[in-house]
């Protein structure tokens, strides 16, 4: 690719490698993100393979020749808009929370803030914020489809008011993300939080339905997972505004 603008961007003390091409697309070196999060070489290689095999993420990745991101190695990079989706797919397991809390905290920081910091480094204009809002709306459609499947699932199990789950699950997500006044009035942080929460809801619904769990238990699982996210991301105590370690402006 010609006309590349390559930068090393400081995020939480890490140097993330990024490039902007002549079409305005920002590409992030996957290995630099993995190193920043704290993944091992084996885990990093695994994530590189997963991105290339993923039906959605593979559409937003490309390999750069040696000398662009790394002097002697060809490097896989991911389009900026695909970074939050990839990070959201890195599951935070109970074992990780128990044995590697520092890694979990770094991962959450990356999930919530990395895209904004990387975008700001290239001085993106107002168009970027509008596009981000549009992407958040598209993500909402994916979640709505999952809820629609869940409503039908609950009805088959005998629920008399299954349609109320559209409201209840949406309300859970909006309250956790702080977007109770609607998406159009939300700021970029709230939209990114909402995107991750809606992804959690979609995954829990589909995974639990595949396991044929009772519909009431599935709803409670959603509430529990959202509450876990709120706590680990400090969304449950906004008044304290407690900064995470090495937080950058």
């Amino acid at each position: 690719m010609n006309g590349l603008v390559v930068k090393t961007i400081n995020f939480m003390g890490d140097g993330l490698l990024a490039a902007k091409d002549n079409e305005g697309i920002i590409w992030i070196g996957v290995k630099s993100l993995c190193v920043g999060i704290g993944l091992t070489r084996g885990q990093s290689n695994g994530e590189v393979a997963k991105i290339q095999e993923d039906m959605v993420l593979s559409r937003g990745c490309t390999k750069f020749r040696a000398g662009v991101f790394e002097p002697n190695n060809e490097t896989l990079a991911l389009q900026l808009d695909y970074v939050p989706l990839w990070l959201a797919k890195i599951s935070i397991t109970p074992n990780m929370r128990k044995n590697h809390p520092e890694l979990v905290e770094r991962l959450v920081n990356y999930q919530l803030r990395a895209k904004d910091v990387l975008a700001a480094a290239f001085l993106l204009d107002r168009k970027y914020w509008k596009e981000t809002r549009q992407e958040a709306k598209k993500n909402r459609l994916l979640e709505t489809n999952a809820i629609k499947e869940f409503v039908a699932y609950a009805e088959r199990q005998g629920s008399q008011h299954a349609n109320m789950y559209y409201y209840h699950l949406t309300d859970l997500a909006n309250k956790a993300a702080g977007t109770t006044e609607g998406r159009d009035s939300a700021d970029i942080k709230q939209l990114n939080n909402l995107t991750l929460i809606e992804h959690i809801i979609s995954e829990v619904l589909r995974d639990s339905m595949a396991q044929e769990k009772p519909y009431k238990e599935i709803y409670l699982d959603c509430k529990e997972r959202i509450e876990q996210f709120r706590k680990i991301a400090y969304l449950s105590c906004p008044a304290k505004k407690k900064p995470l370690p090495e937080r950058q402006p």
Side-chain angles (χ1 to χ4, degrees), residues 25-50:
I25 298 174
I26 297 176
W27 300 89
I28 314 301
V30 173
K31 284 287 184 71
S32 71
L33 284 167
C34 290
V35 171
I37 293 168
L39 301 183
T40 65
R41 174 180 286 188
Q43 290 170 329
S44 299
N45 291 337
E47 291 301 323
V48 168
K50 287 177 184 177

Side-chain angles (χ1 to χ4, degrees), residues 52-73:
Q52 295 176 91
E53 295 167 359
D54 188 276
M55 184 179 298
V56 177
L57 295 177
S58 60
R59 300 178 185 179
C61 71
T62 192
K63 287 186 177 180
F64 284 82
R65 68 183 185 279
V68 176
F69 288 108
E70 297 183 33
N72 302 313
N73 297 312

